[in-house]
C-alpha cells in the first residue's frame, strides 16, 4: 500500500504539526546478538523477548535542526514482542 500527500495537504499538515528537520546528521549504529537471559531480565512485563535476541545500539549527533538546537543522543534497543506484535523496546 502506498500513502502520499499532495503539496496542499502537506502544507496544512505542517501548519498544524511542525515537521522537524535534521541536517548533516552523524550517526553510528550496531546490531548485535545478545544474551537471551539478560534480555529476559531487562524487559518489563508484559513484553516477551524475541526468539533471536537482537539488540541495537546507536549514537547520533544532530548539528543542524529547524528548531534552533543542536543535540546528541544515544539509545540501546532490544527486540521484543507485545501481544504477538514484534517491535523494539528502548531502554
Amino acid at each position: 500500500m502506498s500513502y502520499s500527500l499532495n503539496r496542499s495537504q502537506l502544507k496544512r499538515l505542517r501548519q498544524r504539526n511542525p515537521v522537524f528537520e535534521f541536517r548533516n546528521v552523524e550517526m553510528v549504529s550496531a546490531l548485535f546478538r545478545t544474551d537471551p537471559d539478560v534480555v529476559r531480565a531487562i524487559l518489563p512485563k508484559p513484553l516477551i523477548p524475541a526468539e533471536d535476541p537482537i539488540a541495537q545500539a546507536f549514537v547520533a549527533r544532530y548539528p543542524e535542526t529547524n528548531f534552533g538546537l543542536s543535540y546528541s543522543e544515544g539509545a540501546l534497543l532490544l527486540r521484543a514482542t507485545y501481544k504477538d506484535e514484534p517491535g523494539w523496546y528502548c531502554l
Side-chain angles (χ1 to χ4, degrees):
M1 177 193 316
S2 176
Y3 179 76
S4 62
L5 301 175
N6 64 36
R7 289 184 189 273
S8 162
Q9 292 168 317
L10 185 58
K11 184 177 179 181
R12 282 196 310 271
L13 179 65
R14 284 186 170 168
Q15 288 171 343
R16 290 190 312 248
N17 304 296
V19 175
F20 298 115
E21 295 178 14
F22 305 91
R23 294 175 292 282
N24 298 316
V25 175
E26 298 170 351
M27 182 183 294
V28 63
S29 177
L31 287 173
F32 56 94
R33 189 164 282 110
T34 188
D35 185 329
D37 294 331
V38 172
V39 174
R40 270 191 292 282
I42 291 174
L43 285 178
K45 294 195 182 327
L47 298 180
I48 299 168
E51 283 186 35
D52 196 9
I54 299 293
Q56 178 182 16
F58 83 90
V59 291
R61 186 172 88 80
Y62 305 95
E64 298 175 40
T65 68
N66 67 338
F67 50 90
L69 299 174
S70 63
Y71 72 97
S72 299
E73 70 180 358
L76 178 60
L77 302 110
L78 300 173
R79 292 285 297 156
T81 301
Y82 175 70
K83 294 186 178 179
D84 296 325
E85 283 289 322
W88 292 93
Y89 174 71
C90 184
L91 286 111

